[in-house]
Amino acid sequence: MSIALCPGSFDPVTLGHLDIIERTSRHFSEVVVAVIRNPQKTQSLFTLEERQAMLREVTAHLANVRIEFFKGLLVDFARDQGASAIVKGLRAVSDFDYELQMAQMNQRLSGIDTFFISTSPQYSFLSSSLVREVGRFGGDVSTMVPASVATRLTERFAEQGGQA
Ligand code: PNS
C-alpha cells in the first residue's frame, strides 16, 4: 500500500490544489491531505475546521483521499501515517528553489522522497493568498476555487464587512 501526503495550509483550497490532489490520487493507494495547524505566514482566514470541511467537500468524489491535521515536522507526521512520499505541485520556476530546499531537508531528516507534479497551466498563477486578496476586494474568484469555497469566501468577507 503506497501512501502519499499532500501538505499545505489550504486557506482556502483552490482548484490548483484540487488538481494536484486528484492527480496524486491516481498514482497512490491512499492520499492524506495534511493541513498544517499553525501556518506561520499569516493569520488564517478560515479556521482549521473550516479548511478541513471545505477540503472534505471538494474531495468527496475521491475514495482514497482523507483529510488530516498536523503540527510540527511534516516528516514526523508522514512517518506516523506510514506515508512513503510527499507530493507537491510546482507552478513556476519561482516555486522551485524553496520546494527543492524543503524536499532535500525532508529527505535528509527522514529518507522520505518528495515528488513534484507540474501544475496544470490554467492554474499556474493561482495561490490561496491571491485568491484571498481578490475575494476580499470583491473580485470574481469563481474560476479559481470550487463553487462551495467561493460561496464561503463571499460569506466570510461579508461577515468581516470587507475590512479583513
Ligand atoms: O500551503 P503552504 O503554506 O505553502 O504549505 C507549507 C507546508 C505546510 C507544506 C510547509 O510549511 C511544511 O511542511 N511545514 C511543516 C514544518 C516542517 O516540516 N518544516 C520543515 C520543512 S523542510
Side-chain angles (χ1 to χ4, degrees), residues 4-5 10 13 16 20 39 48 70 79 93 99-100 110 117 119 134-135 140 143 146 150 152 158-159:
L5 286 192
F10 304 102
V13 57
I20 298 298
L48 204 52
F70 78 101
R79 270 201 212 99
V93 167
E99 290 295 346
L100 179 66
S110 66
I117 295 187
T119 296
V134 171
D140 180 8
T143 60
R152 284 188 195 229
E159 285 161 19

Side-chain angles (χ1 to χ4, degrees), residues 13 35 47-59 67 69 148-149 152:
V13 57
V35 186
T47 66
L48 204 52
E49 290 71 25
E50 288 169 331
R51 286 183 272 147
Q52 182 188 43
M54 286 186 272
L55 277 160
R56 283 217 171 111
E57 240 171 79
V58 303
T59 59
I67 320 298
F69 304 137
S148 56
V149 175
R152 284 188 195 229

Side-chain angles (χ1 to χ4, degrees), residues 35-89:
V35 186
I36 190 163
R37 275 187 185 273
N38 309 106
Q40 288 174 345
K41 292 179 193 163
T42 52
Q43 204 184 338
S44 303
L45 178 64
F46 292 102
T47 66
L48 204 52
E49 290 71 25
E50 288 169 331
R51 286 183 272 147
Q52 182 188 43
M54 286 186 272
L55 277 160
R56 283 217 171 111
E57 240 171 79
V58 303
T59 59
H61 61 295
L62 302 168
N64 62 340
V65 172
R66 62 189 163 84
I67 320 298
E68 303 285 351
F69 304 137
F70 78 101
K71 63 178 176 186
L73 285 179
L74 181 63
V75 291
D76 289 340
F77 182 68
R79 270 201 212 99
D80 291 348
Q81 295 290 316
S84 57
I86 295 166
V87 179
K88 298 276 196 83

Side-chain angles (χ1 to χ4, degrees), residues 125 131 134-145 150 153-154:
F125 65 98
V131 163
V134 171
R136 176 173 298 130
F137 297 112
D140 180 8
V141 294
S142 61
T143 60
M144 302 170 202
V145 293
L153 275 165
T154 306

